[in-house]
Amino acid sequence: MTYKTVLLVLDANQFEADLTAAADLCAAASAHLSVFLVKVAAPPQFGDYAALSLAWLDIRAAEIEQLDKAVVSARTTLNGLGISFDVACEYTETAWDDDLIGERARYADVTLIGASMDPSLQTRAIEGALFYSARPVLLATNRQSVTLLPKRILLAWNSSFESTRAAREALDMMKKAESVNVVLVDPTAASRRNGGEPGADVATYLSRHGIHVTVDRLPSAGRQVEEVLKQHALDTSADLIVMGAYGHTRLRQRIFGGVTKAMIEAPVVPVLMVR
């Protein structure tokens, strides 16, 4: 699809680099930038007789003031850049910050997560957007490398529901790209999943949309799937990896690891994830 509204989720500490990079991205794509600044409240502290600590109340007041200043700063920065934008904020508790982010993401086409966020908040923001918005998330370690107009795309394909949604979500991007590599790692020919020629079905589907497709069937050779995908993205000079997210449960991913977890933690090129 064409992305006309980009949600940028930031915390209220260090966000200027993410903000200006997102503004550049939206300017290049003629998209509206919707900034959502999030501050997670400090956990309650109790004094004598189980009363709330006055020091904790002072901390909360300071955090709210910091959030208000961050909103003013973000608006000031964006006012001079000539793009369409809005800035909102939320002072919230850890228990429901992912829900709030997911709800906000429903009214955007794609969600960007600040690269400078606190790691625990960043993880919850990604999961909130993926699980509670039905919208894709765009991730990158180097925010300056992110674009909504990639020239070379790697589509990670395993015939799953999640990868099918990812392919459909990125159709417009792939139509405009110069090349699209559909990558299967250790595919097995089977009528129920990959067919007699793994990758042929999805390549035919994409070709009917006018997309120039190359199918790469790669052996893992003992490596993790995410390692194969990352290396192939570098080898093909991909601007973007498109992939389905959380084919397994979040609990299993956290305990045993998985492709989604690995790509979130260390993307070598920008990654568009779809749940």
Side-chain angles (χ1 to χ4, degrees), residues 100-275:
L100 285 170
I101 291 166
E103 289 172 6
R104 181 75 56 165
R106 292 169 199 168
Y107 306 102
D109 296 312
V110 64
T111 298
L112 294 174
I113 307 296
S116 303
M117 297 177 73
D118 172 80
S120 60
L121 176 57
Q122 186 180 60
T123 298
R124 294 193 302 276
I126 292 169
E127 293 187 352
L130 285 173
F131 280 86
Y132 304 133
S133 76
R135 296 289 189 271
V137 172
L138 187 55
L139 304 171
T141 301
N142 175 13
R143 187 62 72 201
Q144 300 295 333
S145 65
V146 179
T147 176
L148 295 176
L149 303 168
K151 294 181 179 180
R152 293 170 296 278
I153 297 175
L154 186 156
L155 172 63
W157 183 256
N158 63 0
S159 302
S160 66
F161 176 81
E162 292 80 13
S163 63
T164 301
R165 284 204 65 231
R168 182 67 183 85
E169 176 68 35
L171 271 182
D172 282 352
M173 278 185 170
M174 291 190 285
K175 288 178 186 178
K176 297 171 184 175
E178 294 175 359
S179 65
V180 175
N181 289 73
V182 177
V183 178
L184 300 87
V185 180
D186 292 336
T188 301
S191 59
R192 289 190 63 244
R193 286 182 68 83
N194 296 314
E197 186 180 349
D201 288 346
V202 66
T204 300
Y205 165 73
L206 296 176
S207 295
R208 290 190 185 120
H209 284 275
I211 297 169
H212 177 69
V213 180
T214 300
V215 176
D216 298 324
R217 293 184 283 268
L218 305 178
S220 63
R223 295 173 296 167
Q224 298 295 323
V225 171
E226 60 271 16
E227 293 177 17
V228 178
L229 293 175
K230 289 178 181 180
Q231 186 58 55
H232 200 60
L234 295 175
D235 292 342
T236 58
S237 301
D239 301 310
L240 181 71
I241 295 174
V242 175
M243 61 178 286
Y246 289 110
H248 300 296
T249 65
R250 281 180 283 181
L251 179 60
R252 178 174 174 178
Q253 290 268 347
R254 285 171 178 166
I255 295 175
F256 300 107
V259 178
T260 304
K261 182 174 182 288
M263 299 300 274
I264 287 173
E265 289 177 347
V268 295
V269 301
V271 179
L272 184 75
M273 286 190 172
V274 182
R275 176 75 171 90

Side-chain angles (χ1 to χ4, degrees), residues 62-110:
E63 288 177 337
I64 293 171
E65 182 180 2
Q66 180 192 23
L67 182 58
D68 290 339
K69 288 181 178 178
V71 170
V72 172
S73 175
R75 287 176 177 157
T76 300
T77 297
L78 295 174
N79 271 329
L81 299 180
I83 65 167
S84 173
F85 73 91
D86 67 87
V87 180
C89 67
E90 192 74 47
Y91 186 66
T92 183
E93 310 291 336
T94 302
W96 48 77
D97 52 5
D98 54 350
D99 286 315
L100 285 170
I101 291 166
E103 289 172 6
R104 181 75 56 165
R106 292 169 199 168
Y107 306 102
D109 296 312
V110 64

